[in-house]
Amino acid sequence: MTESIGAPPPAPKPGGGGMKVVLGALAALGLGGVVYLGVLEAQRAKLVPDGASAPSMEMPRHGGGTLKLDDLKGQVVMLDFWATWCPPCREEMPALVKLAKEYEPQGLVFVAASRDDGDRAPKLVDAFMRNHLPDLAPYVVYADDNMARAFQVTALPTLYFLDRDGKVIDAQRGSLSEDAIRRRIDRALKAQ
């Protein structure tokens, strides 16, 4: 085969640059994952730090009475800040209630601290429970702005675990899968 002088170079084969595109996309996904983990860590840093004593707070219970966090010492507390208008909260709540019932015999106390709006909160929570999750009733309390500030709640859901001495041992901003919640409960119950 002879080449003639001045002939154009052979045309590139179709799809030859596809590998570069795939590698570039994978690199971008990897970088995105690292950034996401960094954001999660930064979010965690904005919560009450592990080892800090939980603020001593008193909250009105749904249906009457009050709950004092200090009265829960000696038990592991799973404290969830949520609202009926929060889609991730609504999705996560059935798993929290299910796991609370499962782990209560081992010393876990679940507190579902509603951040629904003031005077309307009881009606909103009633409607949510009636339509979606009646088993939530014994766990609901109402967290005012002071409580939210004390726990540095700036987004919902925000989940805390308190050890038997009332100290923060874990916290998470954003929803978790049932398996992730279960792992955190197991870790919290084994702490000490």
Side-chain angles (χ1 to χ4, degrees), residues 15-102:
M19 184 56 86
K20 288 182 183 177
V21 171
V22 169
L23 290 175
L26 287 174
L29 285 173
L31 180 59
V34 169
V35 168
Y36 176 74
L37 291 174
V39 167
L40 285 180
E41 186 59 32
Q43 291 289 331
R44 174 62 181 104
K46 294 177 185 175
L47 296 171
V48 176
D50 291 353
S53 291
S56 177
M57 304 295 282
E58 186 172 320
M59 299 161 284
R61 284 184 174 275
H62 182 74
T66 59
L67 173 73
K68 294 179 185 177
L69 282 181
D70 286 344
D71 291 344
L72 300 177
K73 286 188 178 172
Q75 301 173 86
V76 171
V77 177
M78 179 171 64
L79 173 62
D80 182 55
F81 291 90
W82 71 290
T84 59
W85 49 261
C86 164
C89 301
R90 293 167 63 105
E91 291 170 17
E92 181 181 60
M93 191 57 72
L96 290 169
V97 170
K98 173 187 172 194
L99 293 169
K101 287 180 174 192
E102 181 180 331

Side-chain angles (χ1 to χ4, degrees), residues 74-139:
Q75 301 173 86
V76 171
V77 177
M78 179 171 64
L79 173 62
D80 182 55
F81 291 90
W82 71 290
T84 59
W85 49 261
C86 164
C89 301
R90 293 167 63 105
E91 291 170 17
E92 181 181 60
M93 191 57 72
L96 290 169
V97 170
K98 173 187 172 194
L99 293 169
K101 287 180 174 192
E102 181 180 331
Y103 282 93
E104 281 172 353
Q106 296 176 44
L108 180 75
V109 175
F110 176 43
V111 178
S114 171
R115 291 289 295 140
D116 283 289
D117 299 326
D119 296 339
R120 296 183 50 218
K123 289 182 182 176
L124 295 169
V125 170
D126 272 338
F128 174 75
M129 289 187 303
R130 187 174 47 256
N131 295 322
H132 303 287
L133 195 58
D135 291 345
L136 177 61
Y139 307 110

